Amino acid sequence: MSWNKLEGIDFKRENRSYIDALHAILTAAGRFAGTKSMLSGMTGMAFKFIIHEHLSESSMTAYGYWGKEHGEAAERLGWANVSPGGYIRHPTFPLARKQAERSIKLSIDRGLGVVFWLPEFAVIHGYDDEDKVYFYRDGWSQDEQVMLYDNFGVAGNGTPFWFYQLLLDKWDRPEADIYRESLRAAVSEWETPHKTAPDQAFASGRLAYDYLIQALVSRRYSASGGTYILKSYAEIKRDIVAYLEDIQSELGLTEAVLQAYREVDAVYRHICRFIRADEGTAALDQASFPALLKNVREAKELEEKAVHELKACIGCEDRLPGELDIALWGIASPR
């Protein structure tokens, strides 16, 4: 019987749990030294803007078929990876769970934790064959959590699907190529209307703002989802500004690009003022709806301008060596 546990996993959920988890794994392994905003930008994850028609909290994770989305995110960094996943109801799930056990333990023995769906995304960082358990962190508690091998994909999971990602090996990509490709992905994300086709309950990029506005106008939305989404995206817009400032000199980004995204960030900071605390929970301030809607519409206009400036600055006509194919229409529903 064997046992292994990785130390130094500092996993805290903030605004996008996949990035939080990936950052924890890579920094603990000494394979990434940058900030979360840098990792979010380099992978292209910072530029995913998805809104559910009724502002479901799942907007923050329903950004397409995870094997593709997370695979591309890791590939941009130069990591070869695999992302197994599927539905718990499938009769082959017990076999997949057994394969997951072998793969996860091998990854940990190689010094790399594993991102998995809990939900949201969390980190497995150890195992014990005698007790047949994984050690994992959920990002909410500072305490280490324990899960039986046989409960993988089931315990604590109120969704019908399971998922994990294995980082295999890394090749060195020129940083300028990573930066430029991530910004081209930003343009693609903005111009892609749906990432979960044929399911159109979620909209992406430019169209996502229309979904957000319509939900607010109709008042048909999840109160907890609305506040969670707006607060999370406010932090993500701030991450985008930090990322662009870090890579500005490397790519020769114009001040117009930076200023445009700073204006988007400023509007989101103002939007967050409309979120108030009600007996320990967050809610949108109903009395301030006209002002909130005005700010959301302004955010859409400013982000359109920002993407226009970015597109003009980086150019999107020529492919970079080894650049990934970014689909302009999703290939599968996240559910």
Side-chain angles (χ1 to χ4, degrees):
M1 292 293 180
S2 59
W3 177 97
N4 198 358
K5 186 188 294 186
L6 302 177
E7 301 299 332
I9 297 287
D10 183 17
F11 174 45
K12 179 182 178 182
R13 290 199 198 184
E14 292 181 316
N15 48 51
R16 178 152 274 156
S17 60
Y18 172 74
I19 288 297
D20 298 330
L22 185 62
H23 189 266
I25 288 168
L26 293 179
T27 55
R31 306 301 296 270
F32 188 81
T35 61
K36 281 188 184 179
S37 61
M38 196 67 177
L39 183 66
S40 186
M42 291 172 71
T43 57
M45 295 294 295
F47 302 104
K48 297 183 185 299
F49 183 64
I50 308 294
I51 298 290
H52 182 264
E53 58 187 350
H54 299 310
L55 308 190
S56 165
E57 293 184 12
S58 59
S59 299
M60 300 308 302
T61 51
Y63 37 70
Y65 175 56
W66 289 342
K68 180 176 186 296
E69 302 294 328
H70 297 146
E72 288 178 349
E75 283 282 352
R76 286 195 182 96
L77 298 175
W79 278 97
N81 67 94
V82 293
S83 300
Y87 290 92
I88 296 168
R89 67 176 183 271
H90 288 172
T92 55
F93 172 59
L95 298 177
R97 184 167 53 196
K98 196 64 182 177
Q99 179 58 51
E101 178 187 329
R102 292 189 288 267
S103 299
I104 289 170
K105 290 193 291 187
L106 181 60
S107 182
I108 290 167
D109 289 343
R110 293 174 52 245
L112 290 165
V114 176
V115 177
F116 79 109
W117 178 250
L118 189 56
E120 293 180 1
F121 295 103
V123 175
I124 294 176
H125 66 102
Y127 66 90
D128 185 339
D129 276 342
E130 182 174 355
D131 292 331
K132 298 187 182 304
V133 298
Y134 298 116
F135 302 107
Y136 73 95
R137 296 194 181 277
D138 62 11
W140 298 120
S141 171
Q142 293 184 350
D143 297 331
E144 180 179 86
Q145 310 290 321
V146 177
M147 175 191 298
L148 289 170
Y149 292 163
D150 287 345
N151 282 342
F152 176 80
V154 178
N157 186 2
T159 66
F161 38 80
W162 58 273
F163 170 90
Y164 64 101
Q165 184 179 41
L166 300 169
L167 300 177
L168 303 178
D169 202 358
K170 188 176 186 300
W171 61 284
D172 291 329
R173 297 194 66 193
E175 288 189 348
D177 285 358
I178 297 175
Y179 301 154
R180 189 173 296 278
E181 186 183 314
S182 72
L183 298 185
R184 293 187 180 193
V187 175
S188 175
E189 292 287 342
W190 179 253
E191 295 180 345
T192 303
H194 298 284
K195 298 295 293 292
T196 58
D199 182 356
Q200 295 187 25
F202 296 88
S204 170
R206 180 187 292 114
L207 184 61
Y209 273 107
D210 294 338
Y211 274 37
L212 174 57
I213 292 167
Q214 181 56 40
L216 293 174
V217 168
S218 68
R219 306 293 179 96
R220 295 178 59 200
Y221 63 87
S222 161
S224 60
T227 56
Y228 175 62
I229 290 167
L230 290 175
K231 289 176 69 176
S232 296
Y233 279 127
E235 293 297 326
I236 289 171
K237 302 305 181 187
R238 197 167 304 171
D239 283 346
I240 291 174
V241 173
Y243 176 58
L244 295 178
E245 288 175 343
D246 284 340
I247 69 173
Q248 181 180 17
S249 60
E250 179 76 21
L251 289 193
L253 297 179
T254 65
E255 189 60 29
V257 171
L258 270 293
Q259 184 56 34
Y261 278 101
R262 289 181 184 124
E263 290 173 358
V264 174
D265 172 41
V267 171
Y268 270 87
R269 293 185 189 220
H270 197 268
I271 286 173
C272 284
R273 297 177 185 176
F274 298 110
I275 299 174
R276 70 172 193 273
D278 286 336
E279 298 180 355
T281 62
L284 298 179
D285 188 349
Q286 300 290 316
S288 302
F289 252 58
L292 172 60
L293 280 168
K294 180 181 177 181
N295 278 168
V296 171
R297 290 188 173 105
E298 183 181 2
K300 179 185 178 183
E301 293 177 3
L302 289 171
E303 196 147 359
E304 185 77 69
K305 173 186 173 184
V307 174
H308 177 77
E309 294 288 351
L310 181 63
K311 199 171 182 178
C313 183
I314 64 172
C316 294
E317 295 79 17
D318 300 324
R319 288 174 59 86
L320 295 169
E323 187 170 14
L324 302 172
D325 290 318
I326 308 298
L328 292 181
W329 193 263
I331 59 173
S333 168
R335 303 186 307 282

